[in-house]
């Protein structure tokens, strides 16, 4: 029998950052993950954007979470000997005069925006209404996730398997799963949590996103380019292009319909030809109030969740993982905005 402090289910950005945070705190963890190739974190581009939506609202808690995330990713880079975070400009192309005016009213002159000194990419991009620069970043999930996975494996702290809920047992001191006992089990398994009976009171709004990997001859940049579609650079003339949002879907596979939607966005953005390398799809585990879902089950305190980070996952995960680690240690109270008790009627009234 193996004994650990925490079993962590899932190794996307949530499970990665929580297991790292707990490991830093001296806790013994076991991460159980089935390495699903099209999990949301493995398909995402890892963009960190300080503004949200078409109204250019400041991202929630950004002044706190981004400096924390930048430092956390720097320390992970040093530990794993990889490049995790790259600070980048977001070249934000306005699709209309109204959007340009909305940006000027809301975000222009703010701490995370710059006025371009000259219009760039004129030979490549269709931008009749101009563009603005937003200071953002990307997290290289395609490097971080496998590097942390290997680190876990080297410590004997990884099981590459699907966790079967039917085999999980509650004990007087925590939980038992097969030959492993733990004080607590924390579910960080994205959209799979929607099928977890302990968390059926949580209101998830899972949505399907599809992306293209495209080659754009002549476009050489380290900038993220954003219009109705977002281009994220991954090499000479190679870009992640996405993503779509679909609320009604039959499966998690790529579709011809969404490829048409994505290509329409590319055609509205680019003046030059491009070629599609391949297409990917994944289902995101978003919450109904756009806030993370964290905490221990009110009736099963050995069972917890760290999920629902949504499209801001790469900026939120480091801070929220550290916060949850402090809560689990008994050193802090969970922020009410993220506490899953908001979904449970504790009083029974």
């Amino acid at each position: 029998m193996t004994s650990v402090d925490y079993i962590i289910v899932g190794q996307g950005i949530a499970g990665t950052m929580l297991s790292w945070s707990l490991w830093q705190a001296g806790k013994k963890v076991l991460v159980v993950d089935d390495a699903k190739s099209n999990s949301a974190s493995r398909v995402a581009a890892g963009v960190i954007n300080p503004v949200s939506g078409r109204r250019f609202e400041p991202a929630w808690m950004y002044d706190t979470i981004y400096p924390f995330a930048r430092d956390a990713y720097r320390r992970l880079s040093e530990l794993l000997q990889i490049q995790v975070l790259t600070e980048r400009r977001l070249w934000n192309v306005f699709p209309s005069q109204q959007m340009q005016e909305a940006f000027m009213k809301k975000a222009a002159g703010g701490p995370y925006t710059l006025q371009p000194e000259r219009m760039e990419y004129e030979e490549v991009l269709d931008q009749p209404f101009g563009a603005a620069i937003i200071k953002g970043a990307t997290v290289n999930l395609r490097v971080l996730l496998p590097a942390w996975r290997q680190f876990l494996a080297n410590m004997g702290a990884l099981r590459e398997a699907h966790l079967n809920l039917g085999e999980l047992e509650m004990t007087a001191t925590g939980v038992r799963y097969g030959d492993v006992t733990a004080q607590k089990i924390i579910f960080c398994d994205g959209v799979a949590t929607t099928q977890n009976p302990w968390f059926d009171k949580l209101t998830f709004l899972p949505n399907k996103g599809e992306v293209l990997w495209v080659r754009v001859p002549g476009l050489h940049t380290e900038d993220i380019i954003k219009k109705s579609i977002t281009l994220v650079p991954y090499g000479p003339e190679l870009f992640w292009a996405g993503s779509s949002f679909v609320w009604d879907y039959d499966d998690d596979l790529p579709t011809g319909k969404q490829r048409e939607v994505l290509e329409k966005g590319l055609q509205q953005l680019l003046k030059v030809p491009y070629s599609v390398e391949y297409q990917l799809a994944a289902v995101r585990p978003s919450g109904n109030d756009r806030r993370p879902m964290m905490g221990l089950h009110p009736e099963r305190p050995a069972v917890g969740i760290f999920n629902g980070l949504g499209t801001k996952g790469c900026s939120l995960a480091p801070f929220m993982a550290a916060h949850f680690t402090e809560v689990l240690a008994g050193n802090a109270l969970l922020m009410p905005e993220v506490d899953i008790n908001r979904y449970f009627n504790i009083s029974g009234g």
Side-chain angles (χ1 to χ4, degrees):
M1 189 70 70
T2 300
S3 178
V4 299
D5 296 308
Y6 297 94
I7 298 172
I8 305 295
V9 185
Q11 198 246 319
I13 189 61
T16 291
M17 298 312 298
L18 183 59
S19 58
W20 175 67
S21 182
L22 289 167
W23 173 77
Q24 283 194 113
K27 301 301 180 181
K28 188 175 182 180
V29 300
L30 176 70
V31 175
V32 181
D33 181 80
D34 58 5
K36 186 179 179 183
S37 61
N38 69 331
S39 68
S41 290
R42 289 178 174 87
V43 173
V47 174
I48 294 178
N49 186 346
V51 299
S52 299
R54 298 174 65 85
R55 296 184 178 181
F56 302 103
E57 297 287 347
W60 179 60
M61 288 186 63
Y62 192 78
D63 287 341
T64 298
I65 64 172
Y66 181 66
F68 193 99
R70 184 172 53 198
D71 180 65
Y73 290 132
R74 178 190 58 77
R75 287 183 283 141
L76 268 167
S77 292
E78 294 173 355
L79 173 68
L80 302 174
Q81 294 298 292
I82 57 175
Q83 179 65 36
V84 177
L85 182 80
T86 302
E87 295 193 285
R88 302 182 188 271
R89 302 188 318 170
L90 282 81
W91 184 263
N92 196 84
V93 179
F94 299 122
S96 66
Q97 187 69 36
Q98 290 85 349
M99 290 296 289
Q100 181 194 56
E101 292 172 357
F103 177 87
M104 297 301 291
K105 288 179 181 178
K106 196 74 178 183
Y112 305 109
T113 63
L114 299 168
Q115 294 290 10
E117 295 180 2
R118 60 182 179 84
M119 283 302 294
E120 302 176 32
Y121 308 114
E122 286 289 82
E123 296 181 358
V124 181
L125 304 182
D126 185 19
Q127 42 190 3
F129 302 104
I133 297 169
I134 299 172
K135 294 181 282 186
T138 54
V139 174
N140 194 342
L141 295 170
R142 284 158 189 78
V143 171
L144 171 60
L145 299 186
W148 180 244
R149 191 180 195 85
Q150 186 60 54
F151 189 88
L152 291 168
N154 292 345
M155 292 194 300
L158 174 70
R159 291 211 176 167
E160 294 191 318
H162 174 75
L163 187 133
N164 187 340
L165 285 176
E167 298 177 11
L168 183 65
E169 302 175 45
M170 300 294 124
T171 70
T173 57
V175 298
R176 179 186 296 115
Y177 185 71
D179 62 346
V180 181
T181 61
Q183 295 174 19
K184 290 179 172 55
I185 184 168
I186 311 293
F187 288 91
C188 309
D189 52 348
V191 73
T193 302
T194 61
Q195 306 301 315
N196 188 320
W198 286 306
F199 298 111
D200 57 0
K201 291 184 181 294
L202 276 60
T203 307
F204 282 94
L205 293 177
N207 61 86
K208 181 178 175 181
E210 300 195 35
V211 305
L212 302 176
W213 283 78
V214 300
R215 198 164 293 279
V216 186
L219 182 53
H220 299 269
T221 182
E222 293 299 312
D223 292 348
I224 301 164
I225 296 172
K226 184 175 176 64
K227 195 178 181 183
S228 60
I229 195 169
T230 300
L231 293 180
V232 181
Y234 272 89
E237 302 180 340
L238 181 65
F239 297 85
W240 178 100
S243 64
S244 61
F245 281 80
V246 177
W247 302 101
D248 186 14
Y249 52 89
D250 296 322
D251 52 45
D252 60 0
L253 301 176
T255 63
K257 181 177 181 180
Q258 290 307 307
R259 174 165 174 161
E260 291 179 7
V261 171
L262 293 167
E263 291 213 54
K264 183 178 179 181
L266 285 169
Q267 291 156 11
Q268 292 173 345
L269 174 63
L270 298 173
K271 291 180 180 179
V272 297
Y274 63 90
S275 61
V276 177
E277 301 282 309
Y278 51 93
Q279 182 178 358
L280 297 173
V283 178
R284 309 176 182 94
S286 301
N288 69 319
D289 59 2
R290 298 177 182 268
R291 296 290 180 263
M293 299 180 183
M294 299 161 49
L296 301 176
H297 193 284
E299 298 172 359
R300 296 282 189 180
V303 179
I305 186 172
F306 182 60
N307 206 333
L309 301 180
T311 58
K312 300 295 185 184
C314 284
S315 55
L316 286 169
F319 179 87
M320 292 300 166
H323 174 53
F324 198 18
T325 297
E326 288 295 297
V327 171
L328 292 169
N331 297 328
L333 295 176
L334 200 57
M335 294 168 54
E337 296 95 330
V338 304
D339 192 339
I340 58 169
N341 279 332
R342 68 193 191 271
Y343 293 99
F344 289 89
N345 186 349
I346 304 301
S347 67

